[in-house]
Amino acid sequence: MGIVAGLDSSSDSTRIVVCDTDTGAVLRQGYAPHPSSLPEGDPQAWLMSLGDAATGGLLEGVQAIGVSAQQHGLLTLDAGGVLVRPALLGNDKRVQAAAADLTDALGGRAAWAEAVGAVPQAAQAVAKLRWLARNEPESAARVAAVLQPHDWLVWQLLGRPLRRTTDRGDASGTGFWSAATGSWRPDLVELALGRQAALPDVLAPAEPAGHTPEGLLISAGTGETMAAAFGLGVGLGDAVVSLGASGSVFAVHHSALADSTGTITSFADATGMHLPVVHTLNATRVLRGTAELLGTDLGGLSELALLSSPGSYGMVLLPYLEGERTPHLPHAAGTLSGLRRESMKREHLARAAFEGMLCGLTDALDVLRGRGVEVRRVFLLGPAAELPAVQAIAPSLFGAQVVVVQPADYAALGAARQAAWALGVQQGMLSPQQPPLWPAAAGQVFEPTGEDLPVGQAVRQQYATVREQTHPGAFDAV
């Protein structure tokens, strides 16, 4: 069919990949940083970064562009389409009180989960609208329309038309769109902002947002999580575990999951399916903290852990260093249990850190399994996934095949794949129900053996016993 581009405007940079539409092969790549502007952002700087990343004829011959961007940013426009203020970004901790306030305003966590599949969090646009109304009433009074970063970039690429668009994936992260019903909840916008605001049209996965004045097709675009899942090539039976400082576990599912506890956030994906997500507050930060305590780095911690044995000689680390979201223990601290004279060795503490982190993520994975989500294969993302100790321990604890994917710009690749899909539908070469069959992400595969699974179950039972003794009933409502 031709050549397409995917651009990913993340929190710190713009990455562009130019791909062959038939094979997904990356032909060219571009990169440019964003200026540091947290917790607020200048969207014009995102455009400048995009232009810098696309220099040198990078987009020559491209027929369609897909856009991925950082999720949970809020851009507010006045009646003339002018930005009311700088963008509020996903990691703005000022919004935490507004999120809690909103939760109570609708009747609690269960009411929100039923309404939109998610309990308000500081990252979400709905909480940012509440914060704006309470803290900047003059700005709030000027708000006529709201967008997220990918929506705004698509609108700019199209020449700022009257119609503004988004996709179901990014819409599902706002806190005022329901993945279960596929519709906006303008009443929740009014609850947060105190008044109505115009919302973008939600496009189908293969539906184009439009064409640039030069005739270049722009696909619907989506949020970074959804784009990365599409770029990875995950499908039913696949889960993705992301090892950042905090952790997240999401899986492809055929329907939205309403969770009255708010533990599951019910996102939509970029293909017409769903991406239920469970977050943990503690992942790689547990390893880094333990490494600092033992006077080493992550590589050294991994080497130490492999000198120990499964179960860490009876030592268990509950990794709730920043409190925890899964289970809901916001005021908890980490707990080290099982200290005996013979277990007080560096290698046992190192292994306890890895087992504690991975057991915490397995708890999150089990929340999804408990709601009928099938998990046959787990994709591990993040630099910590390259650690030998993670690769050795994870399969037995997850109870599934583990794939450690090769580093790549998966969000940009997902955006490019979406562009190829929209282009193929326009040309009559693809169905709106079937995206292009690009190769799945390459990576190392680690299989749990028959002996590994009982050992992993024993480690998990040891962990669960300590968790239940320390925080009785923590998972009872999940």
Side-chain angles (χ1 to χ4, degrees):
M1 287 187 292
I3 301 174
V4 294
L7 70 88
D8 175 43
S9 180
S10 69
S11 58
D12 58 7
S13 63
T14 298
R15 297 179 185 274
I16 301 176
V17 296
V18 177
C19 300
D20 179 272
T21 56
D22 296 318
T23 66
V26 176
L27 307 176
R28 300 187 290 271
Q29 299 183 68
Y31 167 85
H34 289 174
S36 178
S37 56
L38 301 179
E40 299 187 351
D42 177 8
Q44 295 295 334
W46 307 340
L47 278 182
M48 293 175 62
S49 173
L50 194 165
D52 292 341
T55 57
L58 184 76
L59 300 180
E60 185 176 345
V62 164
Q63 297 163 273
I65 294 177
V67 177
S68 159
Q70 58 180 305
Q71 290 171 247
H72 303 310
L74 175 69
L75 289 84
T76 50
L77 308 180
D78 66 15
V82 177
L83 286 166
V84 170
R85 66 179 315 288
L88 291 168
L89 302 182
N91 61 348
D92 194 335
K93 291 182 171 55
R94 296 175 298 177
V95 185
Q96 289 174 342
D101 184 33
L102 266 182
T103 302
D104 294 337
L106 193 65
R109 297 166 67 86
W112 278 96
E114 180 66 25
V116 292
V119 176
Q121 301 292 330
Q124 290 178 308
V126 69
K128 291 178 172 63
L129 286 175
R130 182 73 152 198
W131 181 88
L132 194 65
R134 295 294 171 85
N135 293 275
E136 298 181 5
E138 292 183 2
S139 294
R142 294 176 53 207
V143 175
V146 296
L147 296 173
Q148 294 192 94
H150 122 250
D151 311 336
W152 188 83
L153 286 168
V154 165
W155 185 54
Q156 296 295 318
L157 291 173
L158 292 174
R160 298 165 58 94
L162 291 177
R163 184 194 190 205
R164 302 185 184 102
T165 63
T166 189
D167 88 303
R168 55 195 298 278
D170 222 3
S172 66
T174 60
F176 42 83
W177 186 87
S178 167
T181 65
S183 58
W184 290 114
R185 289 288 304 265
D187 58 312
L188 299 182
V189 175
E190 186 167 359
L191 178 68
L193 185 63
R195 49 197 293 273
Q196 289 292 334
L199 302 172
D201 293 342
V202 181
L203 301 175
E207 185 179 358
H211 293 78
T212 68
E214 298 77 27
L216 188 66
L217 183 148
I218 306 295
S219 64
T222 194
E224 273 191 315
T225 298
M226 299 78 192
F230 200 31
L232 282 165
V234 296
L236 289 172
D238 292 330
V240 178
V241 174
S242 179
L243 301 176
S246 56
S248 67
V249 178
F250 66 82
V252 179
H253 197 51
H254 54 77
S255 62
L257 296 178
D259 172 28
S260 61
T261 70
T263 302
I264 298 173
T265 299
S266 196
F267 285 150
D269 81 345
T271 73
M273 300 288 282
H274 294 266
L275 282 181
V277 181
V278 179
H279 294 277
T280 70
L281 294 181
N282 300 279
T284 307
R285 62 165 45 97
V286 178
L287 304 183
R288 294 194 184 281
T290 308
E292 290 175 9
L293 180 65
L294 295 177
T296 186
D297 56 14
L298 290 184
L301 189 74
S302 177
E303 291 178 7
L304 279 171
L306 293 176
L307 296 175
S308 182
S309 56
S312 308
Y313 229 81
M315 197 181 297
V316 174
L317 175 63
L318 298 184
Y320 306 151
L321 305 186
E322 299 289 325
E324 190 46 79
R325 184 168 170 182
T326 306
H328 185 63
L329 298 168
H331 306 298
T335 301
L336 185 61
S337 177
L339 283 174
R340 295 179 176 86
R341 178 63 189 89
E342 60 270 21
S343 68
M344 295 177 68
K345 295 183 179 179
R346 298 171 76 238
E347 59 265 31
H348 302 321
L349 177 56
R351 186 165 186 115
F354 280 96
E355 289 180 344
M357 177 192 75
L358 291 169
C359 280
L361 290 163
T362 309
D363 279 348
L365 195 61
D366 281 352
V367 170
L368 296 180
R369 284 173 164 149
R371 294 297 306 278
V373 177
E374 184 180 12
V375 178
R376 297 190 305 270
R377 180 171 60 167
V378 176
F379 287 77
L380 270 183
L381 303 183
E386 300 289 337
L387 295 173
V390 169
Q391 297 170 1
I393 299 170
S396 65
L397 295 182
F398 292 158
Q401 182 188 86
V402 170
V403 181
V404 178
V405 298
Q406 295 178 355
D409 297 328
Y410 289 108
L413 285 168
R417 190 180 178 197
Q418 186 195 67
W421 192 6
L423 180 64
V425 170
Q426 177 182 272
Q427 295 175 338
M429 304 286 288
L430 292 175
S431 162
Q433 285 72 47
Q434 180 60 56
L437 299 176
W438 287 9
Q444 292 178 279
V445 177
F446 300 89
E447 296 274 6
T449 67
E451 296 178 356
D452 289 337
L453 293 177
V455 171
Q457 290 170 359
V459 172
R460 288 214 62 210
Q461 183 57 54
Q462 175 179 271
Y463 176 89
T465 298
V466 173
R467 185 194 64 221
E468 185 61 25
Q469 290 172 346
T470 310
H471 304 285
F475 271 104
D476 286 354
V478 177

